[in-house]
Amino acid sequence: MQPESIIHAEHLTKSIHSNGLDVSILCDISFTVPQSSLFAITGPSGSGKTTLLNMLTGIDRPTSGKIFFANTEIRGKSEDALSRWRGKHVGVVFQFFQLIPTLTAKENILLALELGKSGAFPRRSWSQRADELLELTGIAEQKNKLPSQMSGGQQQRTAIARALANDPPLLVADEPTGNLDSHAAESIFALFQQLQLRGKTIIYVTHDHALAQRSNYMLRLLDGAIAEATEPAMEGANEQ
Ligand SMILES: Nc1ncnc2c1ncn2[C@@H]1O[C@H](COP(=O)(O)OP(=O)(O)O)[C@@H](O)[C@H]1O
Ligand SMILES: [Mg+2]
């Protein structure tokens, strides 16, 4: 039986008008992201990974094609509805963390709860919710530190805790380990695996082939088209 899908993309294309020419950035991309999976999007620089990710979150719109989130098409929504929808359903993690530099780790998470307005957590529970997320992501001891007082790995954990604030089912991450040393990158990946065990779906972009290989599903782009789509064996199944 097929697992339920959280994202389903059908014949996505993206072209832009540049210097009087139509330039194709993505070409006929179709795929399904099963719920509670680790899904990697990989490919060389300029292959269209970020463009594709931005379409899955509704930050950017496809030129043609359809995207379904849990069986509902997201294309028809207004900008306002789309932004409310994103706030509730998708947590976004960036390569350069993008934390507010004047706020502590905990305050960065509290701000996301404040901005989320999803009603998932009443105001009186925000402090406790933030503490739980700091614990879950392994940075409880850093909670009163500013981003500049934390390592890259700790900052990325804070950014992940912030993305999880309103308990979205889907996390998307664009090169989340691209700015980290290999040890910190490994521990961020381990955190993703831990979140997956809790039922989250994680779509991550990486040009690191080894990291992409450790997903449950992988999509490799080349020049805006799907070069390879695989379902690597589940954890442990390919050990000899
Ligand atoms: N707004 C834009 N204007 C012009 N070219 C763009 C724009 N956005 C993306 N591109 C081009 O589309 C291609 C894919 O970009 P991107 O999705 O950022 O790739 P990746 O994330 O894989 O490095 C690149 O050739 C890039 O230069
Ligand atoms: Mg990119």
Side-chain angles (χ1 to χ4, degrees), residues 17-216:
H17 204 67
S18 173
N19 293 334
L21 292 171
D22 274 328
V23 182
S24 169
I25 297 182
L26 291 176
C27 168
D28 199 20
I29 307 278
S30 298
F31 62 96
T32 297
V33 180
Q35 254 174 27
S36 304
S37 60
L38 267 171
F39 190 102
I41 299 174
T42 187
S45 177
S47 58
K49 305 183 295 295
T50 296
T51 306
L52 178 58
L53 201 70
N54 287 344
M55 272 180 223
L56 301 184
T57 58
I59 289 171
D60 194 4
R61 289 177 189 251
T63 304
S64 65
K66 293 179 174 176
I67 300 167
F68 297 88
F69 182 93
N71 300 324
T72 304
E73 196 180 350
I74 60 175
R75 188 183 172 93
K77 295 183 194 286
S78 67
E79 289 301 324
D80 254 18
L82 207 51
S83 133
R84 272 199 308 278
W85 167 82
R86 195 182 309 122
K88 204 166 161 178
H89 294 97
V90 188
V92 182
V93 177
F94 303 94
Q95 176 174 357
F96 296 102
F97 327 134
Q98 302 199 4
L99 298 167
I100 308 282
T102 51
L103 299 181
T104 64
K106 182 167 177 177
E107 287 165 347
N108 267 281
I109 301 167
L110 288 170
L111 181 65
L113 285 161
E114 172 103 41
L115 295 175
K117 296 188 196 100
S118 70
F121 300 94
R123 182 177 287 268
R124 65 174 184 283
S125 71
W126 288 354
S127 178
Q128 189 192 341
R129 170 78 185 152
D131 285 337
E132 281 167 11
L133 289 167
L134 288 156
E135 194 73 48
L136 173 69
T137 52
I139 43 168
E141 287 174 14
Q142 324 298 327
K143 71 175 180 180
N144 295 320
K145 290 192 178 163
L146 295 172
S148 59
Q149 298 168 319
M150 293 189 280
S151 69
Q154 289 166 344
Q155 289 180 63
Q156 191 56 299
R157 286 167 183 279
T158 308
I160 292 168
R162 176 183 59 182
L164 290 168
N166 295 295
D167 206 20
L170 173 64
L171 270 195
V172 301
D174 196 352
E175 305 274 7
T177 60
N179 205 33
L180 301 176
D181 63 45
S182 60
H183 179 74
E186 184 59 41
S187 75
I188 292 297
F189 190 77
L191 175 57
F192 284 163
Q193 290 177 314
Q194 194 190 334
L195 294 170
Q196 184 200 5
L197 288 177
R198 290 172 167 251
K200 300 292 182 196
T201 305
I202 295 126
I203 302 179
Y204 64 102
V205 164
T206 180
H207 59 246
D208 179 340
H209 190 63
L211 208 59
Q213 290 286 348
R214 293 168 64 189
S215 60
N216 306 129

